[in-house]
Amino acid sequence: MTNDLPVRIVGERVVTKPGIGPVPTVWLPLHGQVIAELPPRKGNRRWLHETVGIRSPHFNGDQWTLPRSSLVRLITAAVDRYGFIVLWRDMSQLSQCTSNCLNATGIECQCSCLGAHHGQDAAGWFEVVGDVVVADLGECIRTGVVYGARGSDADAVVYDGELAGERYCVDRIGRQNWPAAAQFMCASCMTVRAAVWDHCHTHGFVRAPLCNRCNTRHWRGWRPQYGRAPHSRNLDDSYYRQCPKHTDTWRMCSA
């Protein structure tokens, strides 16, 4: 049921279940650059520059103006960082879905599926969560889609360094041989299936697959008084040692 989803769109509002932190939203207009609203957090500019690969992200008020070409990388990185992201997309015309839609590797869509099937047959790192929300704005159709980490039907197994020494990246070519994080148990709490790939922000190496709760446990918003459920008592941060530079005393590994 839709009400059971961790993140859903109700009207024009984004509603999250208890235990889910703030979710970023992105608007893809018909023309021009992408507009993104990220949950306030120290290091957002550095994250956009170093992780997403945007040379000069522009911040105005509470919004970031970003190149249209960075959208797929932004969504991939945001799913790893936040667990979910909401994309509002404007479309001017509708047409029937074709293989160009189903095999697409981008985000832009002008099909009658309203983006629900866009790229579903392509190897991606995120997938639609819930239903597509539609609003008729007269000159265009605006759709709202929640993206989350791509799941796995296989039984989750314990991570055994399958990506040891691999540099973290958010582009499709760089990740084409990566297994989905959901194929493994969370390397931190070992109680639930992982959802995203954690990486060392200092050295840039992939460390381990984590569930969303463990991945965001260091954030200010994770404590119960901010609406976030506490992490498992089984919390284990030994996965930090998966970074090849973990013993570097001059540049300590970061969360």
Side-chain angles (χ1 to χ4, degrees):
M1 295 178 61
T2 302
N3 290 342
D4 294 331
L5 296 173
V7 180
R8 55 195 175 95
I9 301 174
V10 179
E12 296 182 356
R13 297 186 304 113
V14 177
V15 179
T16 61
K17 294 184 67 175
I20 303 296
V23 175
T25 59
V26 176
W27 174 41
L28 178 66
L30 284 174
H31 309 286
Q33 295 183 302
V34 171
I35 306 299
E37 292 186 5
L38 304 179
R41 185 185 179 193
K42 183 179 179 180
N44 276 344
R45 182 180 296 276
R46 179 181 177 184
W47 176 75
L48 288 169
H49 176 66
E50 296 183 357
T51 302
V52 185
I54 300 174
R55 179 178 299 178
S56 302
H58 177 68
F59 187 65
N60 182 19
D62 59 351
Q63 297 178 333
W64 294 90
T65 302
L66 309 171
R68 202 176 183 94
S69 60
S70 69
L71 186 58
V72 173
R73 300 195 309 273
L74 174 64
I75 291 181
T76 303
V79 167
D80 274 351
R81 194 186 199 205
Y82 301 99
F84 300 91
I85 185 172
V86 175
L87 172 64
W88 295 100
R89 173 173 37 204
D90 291 349
M91 297 182 291
S92 60
Q93 57 184 347
L94 302 179
S95 60
Q96 294 298 316
C97 291
T98 65
S99 60
N100 290 334
C101 168
L102 299 178
N103 297 320
T105 57
I107 297 296
E108 297 190 52
C109 182
Q110 300 292 335
C111 300
S112 57
C113 72
L114 302 178
H117 305 144
H118 195 65
Q120 71 173 19
D121 291 347
W125 286 93
F126 46 82
E127 60 186 6
V128 176
V129 177
D131 300 325
V132 177
V133 177
V134 183
D136 188 348
L137 303 182
E139 295 182 356
C140 66
I141 299 293
R142 177 168 297 172
T143 64
V145 180
V146 179
Y147 285 106
R150 185 173 290 277
S152 173
D153 294 330
D155 292 336
V157 298
V158 176
Y159 179 67
D160 191 30
E162 281 78 357
L163 291 183
E166 191 80 23
R167 286 283 184 178
Y168 179 82
C169 64
V170 294
D171 61 274
R172 289 176 182 269
I173 295 178
R175 288 192 174 202
Q176 62 183 352
N177 295 320
W178 288 21
Q183 294 179 19
F184 304 95
M185 294 295 292
C186 173
S188 180
C189 66
M190 290 297 292
T191 57
V192 297
R193 186 187 291 270
V196 299
W197 284 106
D198 170 75
H199 72 287
C200 175
H201 291 259
T202 301
H203 303 109
F205 289 98
V206 175
R207 285 192 295 221
L210 300 181
C211 66
N212 287 324
R213 185 177 296 178
C214 289
N215 189 47
T216 60
R217 71 183 187 278
H218 292 293
W219 298 8
R220 174 179 178 272
W222 90 281
R223 289 175 290 182
Q225 57 264 45
Y226 295 112
R228 304 293 304 283
H231 58 69
S232 166
R233 293 182 180 180
N234 296 328
L235 185 65
D236 179 9
D237 60 5
S238 62
Y239 67 88
Y240 272 45
R241 293 196 290 270
Q242 295 283 354
C243 175
K245 300 286 187 179
H246 178 68
T247 57
D248 187 345
T249 57
W250 291 99
R251 300 179 67 222
M252 302 291 290
C253 287
S254 63

